[in-house]
PDB file of all heavy atoms in Angstrom:
ATOM      1  N   VAL A 193      13.576  -2.311   4.597  1.00 96.00           N
ATOM      2  CA  VAL A 193      14.090  -3.117   3.521  1.00 96.00           C
ATOM      3  C   VAL A 193      13.014  -3.385   2.516  1.00 96.00           C
ATOM      4  O   VAL A 193      11.885  -3.764   2.857  1.00 96.00           O
ATOM      5  CB  VAL A 193      14.596  -4.509   4.037  1.00 96.00           C
ATOM      6  CG1 VAL A 193      15.182  -5.350   2.908  1.00 96.00           C
ATOM      7  CG2 VAL A 193      15.728  -4.291   5.081  1.00 96.00           C
ATOM      8  N   PHE A 194      13.317  -3.173   1.215  1.00 97.00           N
ATOM      9  CA  PHE A 194      12.360  -3.447   0.131  1.00 97.00           C
ATOM     10  C   PHE A 194      12.826  -4.711  -0.598  1.00 97.00           C
ATOM     11  O   PHE A 194      14.022  -4.901  -0.855  1.00 97.00           O
ATOM     12  CB  PHE A 194      12.311  -2.319  -0.942  1.00 97.00           C
ATOM     13  CG  PHE A 194      11.802  -0.960  -0.405  1.00 97.00           C
ATOM     14  CD1 PHE A 194      12.565   0.137  -0.316  1.00 97.00           C
ATOM     15  CD2 PHE A 194      10.433  -0.902  -0.087  1.00 97.00           C
ATOM     16  CE1 PHE A 194      12.038   1.338   0.193  1.00 97.00           C
ATOM     17  CE2 PHE A 194       9.927   0.266   0.379  1.00 97.00           C
ATOM     18  CZ  PHE A 194      10.669   1.396   0.463  1.00 97.00           C
ATOM     19  N   GLY A 195      11.903  -5.446  -1.094  1.00 96.00           N
ATOM     20  CA  GLY A 195      12.194  -6.609  -1.981  1.00 96.00           C
ATOM     21  C   GLY A 195      11.137  -6.684  -3.052  1.00 96.00           C
ATOM     22  O   GLY A 195       9.917  -6.548  -2.819  1.00 96.00           O
ATOM     23  N   VAL A 196      11.605  -6.897  -4.287  1.00 95.00           N
ATOM     24  CA  VAL A 196      10.668  -7.013  -5.404  1.00 95.00           C
ATOM     25  C   VAL A 196      10.953  -8.175  -6.291  1.00 95.00           C
ATOM     26  O   VAL A 196      12.169  -8.462  -6.550  1.00 95.00           O
ATOM     27  CB  VAL A 196      10.728  -5.714  -6.322  1.00 95.00           C
ATOM     28  CG1 VAL A 196       9.919  -5.818  -7.568  1.00 95.00           C
ATOM     29  CG2 VAL A 196      10.386  -4.489  -5.532  1.00 95.00           C
ATOM     30  N   GLU A 197       9.926  -8.974  -6.683  1.00 93.00           N
ATOM     31  CA  GLU A 197      10.079 -10.069  -7.602  1.00 93.00           C
ATOM     32  C   GLU A 197       9.793  -9.560  -8.983  1.00 93.00           C
ATOM     33  O   GLU A 197       8.668  -9.324  -9.318  1.00 93.00           O
ATOM     34  CB  GLU A 197       9.045 -11.165  -7.137  1.00 93.00           C
ATOM     35  CG  GLU A 197       8.752 -12.252  -8.187  1.00 93.00           C
ATOM     36  CD  GLU A 197       7.344 -12.754  -8.158  1.00 93.00           C
ATOM     37  OE1 GLU A 197       6.431 -12.030  -7.830  1.00 93.00           O
ATOM     38  OE2 GLU A 197       7.182 -13.911  -8.502  1.00 93.00           O
ATOM     39  N   LYS A 198      10.858  -9.281  -9.712  1.00 92.00           N
ATOM     40  CA  LYS A 198      10.699  -8.693 -11.045  1.00 92.00           C
ATOM     41  C   LYS A 198      10.692  -9.828 -12.056  1.00 92.00           C
ATOM     42  O   LYS A 198      11.776 -10.462 -12.276  1.00 92.00           O
ATOM     43  CB  LYS A 198      11.838  -7.665 -11.367  1.00 92.00           C
ATOM     44  CG  LYS A 198      11.561  -6.879 -12.609  1.00 92.00           C
ATOM     45  CD  LYS A 198      12.693  -5.916 -12.897  1.00 92.00           C
ATOM     46  CE  LYS A 198      13.870  -6.668 -13.455  1.00 92.00           C
ATOM     47  NZ  LYS A 198      15.041  -5.723 -13.715  1.00 92.00           N
ATOM     48  N   LEU A 199       9.584 -10.066 -12.672  1.00 89.00           N
ATOM     49  CA  LEU A 199       9.418 -11.192 -13.548  1.00 89.00           C
ATOM     50  C   LEU A 199      10.147 -10.915 -14.849  1.00 89.00           C
ATOM     51  O   LEU A 199      10.150  -9.782 -15.401  1.00 89.00           O
ATOM     52  CB  LEU A 199       7.922 -11.491 -13.895  1.00 89.00           C
ATOM     53  CG  LEU A 199       7.141 -11.836 -12.657  1.00 89.00           C
ATOM     54  CD1 LEU A 199       5.637 -12.042 -13.108  1.00 89.00           C
ATOM     55  CD2 LEU A 199       7.591 -13.115 -12.042  1.00 89.00           C
ATOM     56  N   VAL A 200      10.940 -11.825 -15.351  1.00 88.00           N
ATOM     57  CA  VAL A 200      11.643 -11.747 -16.584  1.00 88.00           C
ATOM     58  C   VAL A 200      10.868 -12.437 -17.693  1.00 88.00           C
ATOM     59  O   VAL A 200      10.789 -13.682 -17.724  1.00 88.00           O
ATOM     60  CB  VAL A 200      13.108 -12.380 -16.444  1.00 88.00           C
ATOM     61  CG1 VAL A 200      13.808 -12.249 -17.780  1.00 88.00           C
ATOM     62  CG2 VAL A 200      13.852 -11.692 -15.332  1.00 88.00           C
ATOM     63  N   LEU A 201      10.225 -11.622 -18.520  1.00 84.00           N
ATOM     64  CA  LEU A 201       9.349 -12.187 -19.538  1.00 84.00           C
ATOM     65  C   LEU A 201      10.035 -12.666 -20.786  1.00 84.00           C
ATOM     66  O   LEU A 201       9.455 -13.395 -21.568  1.00 84.00           O
ATOM     67  CB  LEU A 201       8.285 -11.135 -19.905  1.00 84.00           C
ATOM     68  CG  LEU A 201       7.493 -10.583 -18.692  1.00 84.00           C
ATOM     69  CD1 LEU A 201       6.576  -9.500 -19.117  1.00 84.00           C
ATOM     70  CD2 LEU A 201       6.709 -11.702 -18.000  1.00 84.00           C
ATOM     71  N   SER A 202      11.279 -12.245 -20.963  1.00 84.00           N
ATOM     72  CA  SER A 202      12.070 -12.667 -22.133  1.00 84.00           C
ATOM     73  C   SER A 202      13.534 -12.863 -21.772  1.00 84.00           C
ATOM     74  O   SER A 202      14.069 -12.075 -20.960  1.00 84.00           O
ATOM     75  CB  SER A 202      11.968 -11.652 -23.248  1.00 84.00           C
ATOM     76  OG  SER A 202      12.887 -11.857 -24.262  1.00 84.00           O
ATOM     77  N   LYS A 203      14.082 -13.884 -22.346  1.00 85.00           N
ATOM     78  CA  LYS A 203      15.553 -14.205 -22.036  1.00 85.00           C
ATOM     79  C   LYS A 203      16.393 -13.146 -22.670  1.00 85.00           C
ATOM     80  O   LYS A 203      17.586 -13.030 -22.417  1.00 85.00           O
ATOM     81  CB  LYS A 203      15.902 -15.550 -22.635  1.00 85.00           C
ATOM     82  CG  LYS A 203      15.316 -16.715 -21.842  1.00 85.00           C
ATOM     83  CD  LYS A 203      15.690 -18.091 -22.426  1.00 85.00           C
ATOM     84  CE  LYS A 203      15.080 -19.196 -21.596  1.00 85.00           C
ATOM     85  NZ  LYS A 203      15.296 -20.452 -22.280  1.00 85.00           N
ATOM     86  N   LEU A 204      15.842 -12.393 -23.591  1.00 87.00           N
ATOM     87  CA  LEU A 204      16.629 -11.340 -24.269  1.00 87.00           C
ATOM     88  C   LEU A 204      16.774 -10.034 -23.543  1.00 87.00           C
ATOM     89  O   LEU A 204      17.531  -9.120 -23.949  1.00 87.00           O
ATOM     90  CB  LEU A 204      15.989 -11.013 -25.687  1.00 87.00           C
ATOM     91  CG  LEU A 204      15.828 -12.302 -26.601  1.00 87.00           C
ATOM     92  CD1 LEU A 204      15.131 -11.910 -27.892  1.00 87.00           C
ATOM     93  CD2 LEU A 204      17.210 -12.865 -26.907  1.00 87.00           C
ATOM     94  N   TYR A 205      16.040  -9.874 -22.476  1.00 87.00           N
ATOM     95  CA  TYR A 205      16.178  -8.687 -21.677  1.00 87.00           C
ATOM     96  C   TYR A 205      17.514  -8.484 -21.057  1.00 87.00           C
ATOM     97  O   TYR A 205      18.143  -9.493 -20.634  1.00 87.00           O
ATOM     98  CB  TYR A 205      15.117  -8.672 -20.435  1.00 87.00           C
ATOM     99  CG  TYR A 205      13.714  -8.390 -20.807  1.00 87.00           C
ATOM    100  CD1 TYR A 205      12.681  -8.680 -19.905  1.00 87.00           C
ATOM    101  CD2 TYR A 205      13.375  -7.745 -22.003  1.00 87.00           C
ATOM    102  CE1 TYR A 205      11.371  -8.371 -20.170  1.00 87.00           C
ATOM    103  CE2 TYR A 205      12.059  -7.446 -22.282  1.00 87.00           C
ATOM    104  CZ  TYR A 205      11.024  -7.713 -21.402  1.00 87.00           C
ATOM    105  OH  TYR A 205       9.728  -7.459 -21.668  1.00 87.00           O
ATOM    106  N   GLU A 206      17.939  -7.253 -21.009  1.00 87.00           N
ATOM    107  CA  GLU A 206      19.224  -6.938 -20.374  1.00 87.00           C
ATOM    108  C   GLU A 206      19.038  -7.039 -18.879  1.00 87.00           C
ATOM    109  O   GLU A 206      18.014  -6.512 -18.310  1.00 87.00           O
ATOM    110  CB  GLU A 206      19.694  -5.547 -20.731  1.00 87.00           C
ATOM    111  CG  GLU A 206      21.063  -5.267 -20.252  1.00 87.00           C
ATOM    112  CD  GLU A 206      21.530  -3.873 -20.572  1.00 87.00           C
ATOM    113  OE1 GLU A 206      20.936  -3.245 -21.483  1.00 87.00           O
ATOM    114  OE2 GLU A 206      22.445  -3.330 -19.924  1.00 87.00           O
ATOM    115  N   GLU A 207      19.936  -7.617 -18.122  1.00 85.00           N
ATOM    116  CA  GLU A 207      19.836  -7.730 -16.716  1.00 85.00           C
ATOM    117  C   GLU A 207      19.776  -6.353 -16.033  1.00 85.00           C
ATOM    118  O   GLU A 207      20.583  -5.510 -16.345  1.00 85.00           O
ATOM    119  CB  GLU A 207      20.954  -8.571 -16.110  1.00 85.00           C
ATOM    120  CG  GLU A 207      20.789  -8.989 -14.669  1.00 85.00           C
ATOM    121  CD  GLU A 207      21.929  -9.863 -14.131  1.00 85.00           C
ATOM    122  OE1 GLU A 207      22.617 -10.422 -14.969  1.00 85.00           O
ATOM    123  OE2 GLU A 207      22.084  -9.854 -12.961  1.00 85.00           O
ATOM    124  N   GLY A 208      18.869  -6.165 -15.087  1.00 83.00           N
ATOM    125  CA  GLY A 208      18.813  -4.873 -14.362  1.00 83.00           C
ATOM    126  C   GLY A 208      18.007  -3.845 -15.033  1.00 83.00           C
ATOM    127  O   GLY A 208      17.812  -2.690 -14.506  1.00 83.00           O
ATOM    128  N   SER A 209      17.385  -4.113 -16.232  1.00 86.00           N
ATOM    129  CA  SER A 209      16.510  -3.081 -16.832  1.00 86.00           C
ATOM    130  C   SER A 209      15.097  -3.176 -16.246  1.00 86.00           C
ATOM    131  O   SER A 209      14.753  -4.153 -15.622  1.00 86.00           O
ATOM    132  CB  SER A 209      16.473  -3.366 -18.349  1.00 86.00           C
ATOM    133  OG  SER A 209      15.970  -4.654 -18.616  1.00 86.00           O
ATOM    134  N   ASN A 210      14.326  -2.075 -16.512  1.00 88.00           N
ATOM    135  CA  ASN A 210      12.970  -1.962 -16.006  1.00 88.00           C
ATOM    136  C   ASN A 210      12.814  -2.231 -14.506  1.00 88.00           C
ATOM    137  O   ASN A 210      12.046  -3.038 -14.079  1.00 88.00           O
ATOM    138  CB  ASN A 210      12.014  -2.986 -16.777  1.00 88.00           C
ATOM    139  CG  ASN A 210      11.857  -2.586 -18.246  1.00 88.00           C
ATOM    140  OD1 ASN A 210      11.879  -1.391 -18.541  1.00 88.00           O
ATOM    141  ND2 ASN A 210      11.692  -3.569 -19.106  1.00 88.00           N
ATOM    142  N   LYS A 211      13.628  -1.467 -13.756  1.00 91.00           N
ATOM    143  CA  LYS A 211      13.627  -1.690 -12.332  1.00 91.00           C
ATOM    144  C   LYS A 211      12.304  -1.302 -11.710  1.00 91.00           C
ATOM    145  O   LYS A 211      11.559  -0.398 -12.218  1.00 91.00           O
ATOM    146  CB  LYS A 211      14.740  -0.824 -11.686  1.00 91.00           C
ATOM    147  CG  LYS A 211      16.150  -1.375 -11.952  1.00 91.00           C
ATOM    148  CD  LYS A 211      17.159  -0.639 -11.039  1.00 91.00           C
ATOM    149  CE  LYS A 211      18.494  -1.328 -11.199  1.00 91.00           C
ATOM    150  NZ  LYS A 211      18.543  -2.772 -10.875  1.00 91.00           N
ATOM    151  N   ARG A 212      11.905  -1.963 -10.626  1.00 94.00           N
ATOM    152  CA  ARG A 212      10.656  -1.670  -9.894  1.00 94.00           C
ATOM    153  C   ARG A 212      10.919  -1.051  -8.496  1.00 94.00           C
ATOM    154  O   ARG A 212      10.084  -0.896  -7.714  1.00 94.00           O
ATOM    155  CB  ARG A 212       9.816  -2.930  -9.739  1.00 94.00           C
ATOM    156  CG  ARG A 212       9.220  -3.365 -11.012  1.00 94.00           C
ATOM    157  CD  ARG A 212       8.270  -4.527 -10.900  1.00 94.00           C
ATOM    158  NE  ARG A 212       7.544  -4.750 -12.161  1.00 94.00           N
ATOM    159  CZ  ARG A 212       6.384  -4.239 -12.426  1.00 94.00           C
ATOM    160  NH1 ARG A 212       5.756  -3.430 -11.568  1.00 94.00           N
ATOM    161  NH2 ARG A 212       5.748  -4.495 -13.608  1.00 94.00           N
ATOM    162  N   ILE A 213      12.228  -0.665  -8.287  1.00 96.00           N
ATOM    163  CA  ILE A 213      12.577   0.092  -7.040  1.00 96.00           C
ATOM    164  C   ILE A 213      13.183   1.368  -7.505  1.00 96.00           C
ATOM    165  O   ILE A 213      14.094   1.452  -8.331  1.00 96.00           O
ATOM    166  CB  ILE A 213      13.537  -0.732  -6.170  1.00 96.00           C
ATOM    167  CG1 ILE A 213      12.878  -1.943  -5.561  1.00 96.00           C
ATOM    168  CG2 ILE A 213      14.142   0.178  -5.112  1.00 96.00           C
ATOM    169  CD1 ILE A 213      13.753  -2.801  -4.701  1.00 96.00           C
ATOM    170  N   PHE A 214      12.665   2.516  -6.955  1.00 96.00           N
ATOM    171  CA  PHE A 214      13.116   3.819  -7.352  1.00 96.00           C
ATOM    172  C   PHE A 214      13.662   4.673  -6.175  1.00 96.00           C
ATOM    173  O   PHE A 214      13.246   4.412  -5.069  1.00 96.00           O
ATOM    174  CB  PHE A 214      11.918   4.682  -7.955  1.00 96.00           C
ATOM    175  CG  PHE A 214      11.289   3.986  -9.192  1.00 96.00           C
ATOM    176  CD1 PHE A 214      10.113   3.290  -9.040  1.00 96.00           C
ATOM    177  CD2 PHE A 214      11.790   4.154 -10.397  1.00 96.00           C
ATOM    178  CE1 PHE A 214       9.492   2.687 -10.133  1.00 96.00           C
ATOM    179  CE2 PHE A 214      11.208   3.586 -11.510  1.00 96.00           C
ATOM    180  CZ  PHE A 214      10.022   2.829 -11.370  1.00 96.00           C
ATOM    181  N   ASN A 215      14.602   5.516  -6.509  1.00 96.00           N
ATOM    182  CA  ASN A 215      15.037   6.531  -5.488  1.00 96.00           C
ATOM    183  C   ASN A 215      14.141   7.768  -5.726  1.00 96.00           C
ATOM    184  O   ASN A 215      14.024   8.303  -6.788  1.00 96.00           O
ATOM    185  CB  ASN A 215      16.515   6.954  -5.909  1.00 96.00           C
ATOM    186  CG  ASN A 215      17.492   6.433  -4.822  1.00 96.00           C
ATOM    187  OD1 ASN A 215      17.092   6.155  -3.741  1.00 96.00           O
ATOM    188  ND2 ASN A 215      18.741   6.319  -5.252  1.00 96.00           N
ATOM    189  N   ILE A 216      13.588   8.191  -4.636  1.00 96.00           N
ATOM    190  CA  ILE A 216      12.765   9.348  -4.645  1.00 96.00           C
ATOM    191  C   ILE A 216      13.438  10.636  -4.132  1.00 96.00           C
ATOM    192  O   ILE A 216      13.422  11.679  -4.671  1.00 96.00           O
ATOM    193  CB  ILE A 216      11.436   9.163  -3.835  1.00 96.00           C
ATOM    194  CG1 ILE A 216      10.634   7.945  -4.360  1.00 96.00           C
ATOM    195  CG2 ILE A 216      10.527  10.433  -3.780  1.00 96.00           C
ATOM    196  CD1 ILE A 216      10.296   8.077  -5.875  1.00 96.00           C
ATOM    197  N   ASP A 217      14.158  10.401  -3.022  1.00 94.00           N
ATOM    198  CA  ASP A 217      15.005  11.420  -2.448  1.00 94.00           C
ATOM    199  C   ASP A 217      16.212  10.711  -1.841  1.00 94.00           C
ATOM    200  O   ASP A 217      16.232   9.449  -1.784  1.00 94.00           O
ATOM    201  CB  ASP A 217      14.177  12.256  -1.387  1.00 94.00           C
ATOM    202  CG  ASP A 217      14.774  13.578  -1.107  1.00 94.00           C
ATOM    203  OD1 ASP A 217      15.919  13.912  -1.596  1.00 94.00           O
ATOM    204  OD2 ASP A 217      14.098  14.418  -0.420  1.00 94.00           O
ATOM    205  N   ARG A 218      17.113  11.511  -1.183  1.00 93.00           N
ATOM    206  CA  ARG A 218      18.271  10.859  -0.605  1.00 93.00           C
ATOM    207  C   ARG A 218      17.826   9.813   0.429  1.00 93.00           C
ATOM    208  O   ARG A 218      18.466   8.741   0.577  1.00 93.00           O
ATOM    209  CB  ARG A 218      19.132  11.970   0.114  1.00 93.00           C
ATOM    210  CG  ARG A 218      19.852  12.875  -0.839  1.00 93.00           C
ATOM    211  CD  ARG A 218      20.701  13.830  -0.102  1.00 93.00           C
ATOM    212  NE  ARG A 218      19.894  14.741   0.708  1.00 93.00           N
ATOM    213  CZ  ARG A 218      20.226  16.049   1.044  1.00 93.00           C
ATOM    214  NH1 ARG A 218      21.339  16.466   0.645  1.00 93.00           N
ATOM    215  NH2 ARG A 218      19.440  16.763   1.803  1.00 93.00           N
ATOM    216  N   HIS A 219      16.767  10.155   1.177  1.00 93.00           N
ATOM    217  CA  HIS A 219      16.352   9.303   2.281  1.00 93.00           C
ATOM    218  C   HIS A 219      15.110   8.510   2.036  1.00 93.00           C
ATOM    219  O   HIS A 219      14.538   7.871   2.967  1.00 93.00           O
ATOM    220  CB  HIS A 219      16.121  10.192   3.550  1.00 93.00           C
ATOM    221  CG  HIS A 219      14.963  11.191   3.425  1.00 93.00           C
ATOM    222  ND1 HIS A 219      14.872  12.050   2.319  1.00 93.00           N
ATOM    223  CD2 HIS A 219      13.829  11.307   4.111  1.00 93.00           C
ATOM    224  CE1 HIS A 219      13.769  12.702   2.502  1.00 93.00           C
ATOM    225  NE2 HIS A 219      13.069  12.315   3.570  1.00 93.00           N
ATOM    226  N   VAL A 220      14.537   8.587   0.767  1.00 96.00           N
ATOM    227  CA  VAL A 220      13.231   7.842   0.514  1.00 96.00           C
ATOM    228  C   VAL A 220      13.414   6.930  -0.709  1.00 96.00           C
ATOM    229  O   VAL A 220      13.954   7.316  -1.729  1.00 96.00           O
ATOM    230  CB  VAL A 220      12.179   8.909   0.163  1.00 96.00           C
ATOM    231  CG1 VAL A 220      10.822   8.254  -0.092  1.00 96.00           C
ATOM    232  CG2 VAL A 220      12.010   9.947   1.286  1.00 96.00           C
ATOM    233  N   GLY A 221      12.851   5.748  -0.520  1.00 96.00           N
ATOM    234  CA  GLY A 221      12.837   4.801  -1.632  1.00 96.00           C
ATOM    235  C   GLY A 221      11.417   4.416  -1.895  1.00 96.00           C
ATOM    236  O   GLY A 221      10.496   4.598  -1.073  1.00 96.00           O
ATOM    237  N   MET A 222      11.153   3.853  -3.116  1.00 97.00           N
ATOM    238  CA  MET A 222       9.812   3.416  -3.524  1.00 97.00           C
ATOM    239  C   MET A 222       9.913   2.037  -4.237  1.00 97.00           C
ATOM    240  O   MET A 222      10.759   1.845  -5.116  1.00 97.00           O
ATOM    241  CB  MET A 222       9.219   4.456  -4.502  1.00 97.00           C
ATOM    242  CG  MET A 222       7.895   4.075  -5.074  1.00 97.00           C
ATOM    243  SD  MET A 222       7.522   5.127  -6.522  1.00 97.00           S
ATOM    244  CE  MET A 222       6.547   6.438  -5.779  1.00 97.00           C
ATOM    245  N   ALA A 223       9.057   1.101  -3.836  1.00 96.00           N
ATOM    246  CA  ALA A 223       8.822  -0.159  -4.500  1.00 96.00           C
ATOM    247  C   ALA A 223       7.440  -0.215  -5.064  1.00 96.00           C
ATOM    248  O   ALA A 223       6.525   0.175  -4.408  1.00 96.00           O
ATOM    249  CB  ALA A 223       9.039  -1.317  -3.512  1.00 96.00           C
ATOM    250  N   VAL A 224       7.343  -0.680  -6.340  1.00 96.00           N
ATOM    251  CA  VAL A 224       6.050  -0.588  -7.007  1.00 96.00           C
ATOM    252  C   VAL A 224       5.570  -1.947  -7.561  1.00 96.00           C
ATOM    253  O   VAL A 224       6.343  -2.818  -7.741  1.00 96.00           O
ATOM    254  CB  VAL A 224       6.098   0.374  -8.197  1.00 96.00           C
ATOM    255  CG1 VAL A 224       6.581   1.761  -7.749  1.00 96.00           C
ATOM    256  CG2 VAL A 224       7.010  -0.151  -9.374  1.00 96.00           C
ATOM    257  N   ALA A 225       4.182  -2.026  -7.716  1.00 96.00           N
ATOM    258  CA  ALA A 225       3.591  -3.125  -8.375  1.00 96.00           C
ATOM    259  C   ALA A 225       2.422  -2.610  -9.212  1.00 96.00           C
ATOM    260  O   ALA A 225       1.833  -1.658  -8.850  1.00 96.00           O
ATOM    261  CB  ALA A 225       3.046  -4.122  -7.301  1.00 96.00           C
ATOM    262  N   GLY A 226       2.267  -3.274 -10.392  1.00 95.00           N
ATOM    263  CA  GLY A 226       1.269  -2.733 -11.312  1.00 95.00           C
ATOM    264  C   GLY A 226       1.834  -2.337 -12.657  1.00 95.00           C
ATOM    265  O   GLY A 226       2.882  -2.872 -13.058  1.00 95.00           O
ATOM    266  N   LEU A 227       1.223  -1.405 -13.295  1.00 95.00           N
ATOM    267  CA  LEU A 227       1.722  -0.910 -14.571  1.00 95.00           C
ATOM    268  C   LEU A 227       2.959  -0.022 -14.382  1.00 95.00           C
ATOM    269  O   LEU A 227       2.896   0.963 -13.681  1.00 95.00           O
ATOM    270  CB  LEU A 227       0.640  -0.093 -15.290  1.00 95.00           C
ATOM    271  CG  LEU A 227      -0.691  -0.818 -15.612  1.00 95.00           C
ATOM    272  CD1 LEU A 227      -1.642   0.119 -16.340  1.00 95.00           C
ATOM    273  CD2 LEU A 227      -0.450  -2.016 -16.464  1.00 95.00           C
ATOM    274  N   LEU A 228       4.094  -0.510 -14.963  1.00 94.00           N
ATOM    275  CA  LEU A 228       5.352   0.161 -14.684  1.00 94.00           C
ATOM    276  C   LEU A 228       5.396   1.607 -15.174  1.00 94.00           C
ATOM    277  O   LEU A 228       5.965   2.489 -14.536  1.00 94.00           O
ATOM    278  CB  LEU A 228       6.505  -0.631 -15.292  1.00 94.00           C
ATOM    279  CG  LEU A 228       7.954  -0.247 -14.880  1.00 94.00           C
ATOM    280  CD1 LEU A 228       8.108  -0.244 -13.368  1.00 94.00           C
ATOM    281  CD2 LEU A 228       8.915  -1.244 -15.480  1.00 94.00           C
ATOM    282  N   ALA A 229       4.788   1.872 -16.395  1.00 95.00           N
ATOM    283  CA  ALA A 229       4.756   3.250 -16.886  1.00 95.00           C
ATOM    284  C   ALA A 229       4.017   4.240 -15.980  1.00 95.00           C
ATOM    285  O   ALA A 229       4.456   5.323 -15.712  1.00 95.00           O
ATOM    286  CB  ALA A 229       4.126   3.276 -18.258  1.00 95.00           C
ATOM    287  N   ASP A 230       2.893   3.735 -15.384  1.00 96.00           N
ATOM    288  CA  ASP A 230       2.197   4.577 -14.435  1.00 96.00           C
ATOM    289  C   ASP A 230       3.035   4.807 -13.182  1.00 96.00           C
ATOM    290  O   ASP A 230       3.085   5.927 -12.587  1.00 96.00           O
ATOM    291  CB  ASP A 230       0.892   3.908 -13.992  1.00 96.00           C
ATOM    292  CG  ASP A 230      -0.267   3.946 -15.021  1.00 96.00           C
ATOM    293  OD1 ASP A 230       0.116   4.319 -16.196  1.00 96.00           O
ATOM    294  OD2 ASP A 230      -1.385   3.637 -14.731  1.00 96.00           O
ATOM    295  N   ALA A 231       3.758   3.743 -12.722  1.00 96.00           N
ATOM    296  CA  ALA A 231       4.600   3.848 -11.522  1.00 96.00           C
ATOM    297  C   ALA A 231       5.726   4.886 -11.722  1.00 96.00           C
ATOM    298  O   ALA A 231       6.026   5.660 -10.877  1.00 96.00           O
ATOM    299  CB  ALA A 231       5.147   2.490 -11.206  1.00 96.00           C
ATOM    300  N   ARG A 232       6.273   4.882 -12.958  1.00 96.00           N
ATOM    301  CA  ARG A 232       7.358   5.845 -13.264  1.00 96.00           C
ATOM    302  C   ARG A 232       6.908   7.223 -13.148  1.00 96.00           C
ATOM    303  O   ARG A 232       7.567   8.093 -12.666  1.00 96.00           O
ATOM    304  CB  ARG A 232       7.948   5.520 -14.651  1.00 96.00           C
ATOM    305  CG  ARG A 232       8.871   4.375 -14.702  1.00 96.00           C
ATOM    306  CD  ARG A 232       9.754   4.466 -15.958  1.00 96.00           C
ATOM    307  NE  ARG A 232      10.551   3.237 -16.052  1.00 96.00           N
ATOM    308  CZ  ARG A 232      10.459   2.387 -17.086  1.00 96.00           C
ATOM    309  NH1 ARG A 232       9.554   2.568 -17.967  1.00 96.00           N
ATOM    310  NH2 ARG A 232      11.137   1.280 -17.097  1.00 96.00           N
ATOM    311  N   SER A 233       5.675   7.510 -13.669  1.00 96.00           N
ATOM    312  CA  SER A 233       5.186   8.894 -13.688  1.00 96.00           C
ATOM    313  C   SER A 233       4.877   9.290 -12.192  1.00 96.00           C
ATOM    314  O   SER A 233       5.113  10.448 -11.832  1.00 96.00           O
ATOM    315  CB  SER A 233       3.906   9.071 -14.490  1.00 96.00           C
ATOM    316  OG  SER A 233       2.788   8.668 -13.857  1.00 96.00           O
ATOM    317  N   LEU A 234       4.390   8.371 -11.404  1.00 96.00           N
ATOM    318  CA  LEU A 234       4.141   8.715  -9.965  1.00 96.00           C
ATOM    319  C   LEU A 234       5.558   8.902  -9.196  1.00 96.00           C
ATOM    320  O   LEU A 234       5.591   9.687  -8.304  1.00 96.00           O
ATOM    321  CB  LEU A 234       3.339   7.651  -9.287  1.00 96.00           C
ATOM    322  CG  LEU A 234       1.851   7.666  -9.660  1.00 96.00           C
ATOM    323  CD1 LEU A 234       1.177   6.473  -9.035  1.00 96.00           C
ATOM    324  CD2 LEU A 234       1.170   8.928  -9.220  1.00 96.00           C
TER     325      LEU A 234
END
């Protein structure tokens, strides 16, 4: 089970955007902390 505290820095953000949990394969998930752009490339 993965859990992420995704901070909402602006009330104008759309809910569910800039996710910090990714699907890598059918059977693999990834949760990230740090710079989101770096995490996306990894």
